[in-house]
Amino acid sequence: MTFEQIESKKISEIVREQIEDMIKRGEVQPGAKLESVVELSEQFQVSRSAVREALSALRAVGMVTIKQGEGTFVNTYDFSHMFDPMRPERIISKKEMLELFEIRKIMEVGAAELAAEKRTPASLHAVKNALLEMKEASIKNNVGESADVTFHVAIAEASQNGLLIDMMNQLSDTLRKTMFESRRVWLFSEKRTLERLYEEHERIYEAIEKQDAPQARKAMLEHLTNVEQTLITGMEK
């Protein structure tokens, strides 16, 4: 490989990252057509070959579709394939992230309320175990997204609602990705710590333990709102 090839590859990666950021910030919406290769090369002040390489990389991970004679279009994201260990992780746009949190507020606030009303000793124990795993992660300053997912799924299971449990399980891989991102942003924030994030989960657990449905609902809503604001702010930086 020549020096020129290495430099070209680095430039194309930078262009790819910049286009990803445009999609991530919502500047380019799903279904929208990107500017032409010529226009993008002028915009980024790079060669057309670097732009083509960047677009090919985006197509390889499913972010865009290139239609001969028509142009390059941003794909609508399929959440069912968000967490696939066999391929690079997809970037979620700001719009998709907001929509995901709308769904989470609808589902998980109600799940916490039902869990407080219907939880059994066994299901409460499962929520407690996940909470302890998060505590250990916060002490070690690890991201701890797997325990976070387990905690939220355990709450759904404590609701004793079969359909709700199925829906949460279907979302679990998506949640793992977004929880990793939110915890990473939270961890490197000067104003927030993983200990504070743990305390929010602890308040949810305590309300469920006391079978205080209104408080469980309130604690979950406050938690999801805080995480949403932290993550969206991080995406905008």
Side-chain angles (χ1 to χ4, degrees), residues 101-164:
F101 271 95
E102 287 177 347
I103 293 172
R104 291 192 64 186
K105 288 175 183 176
I106 292 170
M107 289 177 53
E108 296 192 58
V109 170
E113 184 175 24
L114 282 175
E117 295 173 351
K118 298 183 178 182
R119 59 87 171 163
T120 63
S123 61
L124 182 66
H125 183 67
V127 178
K128 178 65 173 180
N129 282 343
L131 186 66
L132 292 174
E133 289 180 22
M134 275 191 286
K135 179 65 173 179
E136 183 177 353
S138 68
I139 292 173
K140 294 181 179 179
N141 223 29
N142 291 335
V143 176
E145 76 281 2
S146 293
D148 203 335
V149 174
T150 301
F151 179 84
H152 287 267
V153 172
I155 289 175
E157 291 174 346
S159 75
Q160 310 300 318
N161 185 300
L163 288 177
L164 180 56

Side-chain angles (χ1 to χ4, degrees), residues 66-83:
I66 300 175
K67 299 180 180 179
Q68 294 297 326
E70 296 184 40
T72 303
F73 297 84
V74 177
N75 289 334
T76 299
Y77 188 67
D78 180 0
F79 280 108
S80 66
H81 299 295
M82 176 181 288
F83 191 79

Side-chain angles (χ1 to χ4, degrees), residues 24-25 94 231-237:
K24 186 178 177 182
R25 292 192 299 268
K94 181 179 178 181
L231 187 51
I232 296 301
T233 299
M235 294 176 72
E236 292 174 344
K237 291 181 178 179

Side-chain angles (χ1 to χ4, degrees), residues 11 41 87 94 96 98 101 124 154 158 192 205 212-213 226 234:
I11 292 171
S41 67
R87 69 174 187 167
K94 181 179 178 181
E96 290 167 333
L98 290 171
F101 271 95
L124 182 66
R192 300 181 187 274
Y205 168 78
D212 187 340
N226 287 339

Side-chain angles (χ1 to χ4, degrees), residues 164-177:
L164 180 56
I165 294 169
D166 288 343
M167 291 171 69
M168 280 297 296
N169 282 323
Q170 289 174 17
L171 272 178
S172 63
D173 285 342
T174 300
L175 294 180
R176 184 173 289 104
K177 162 66 176 174

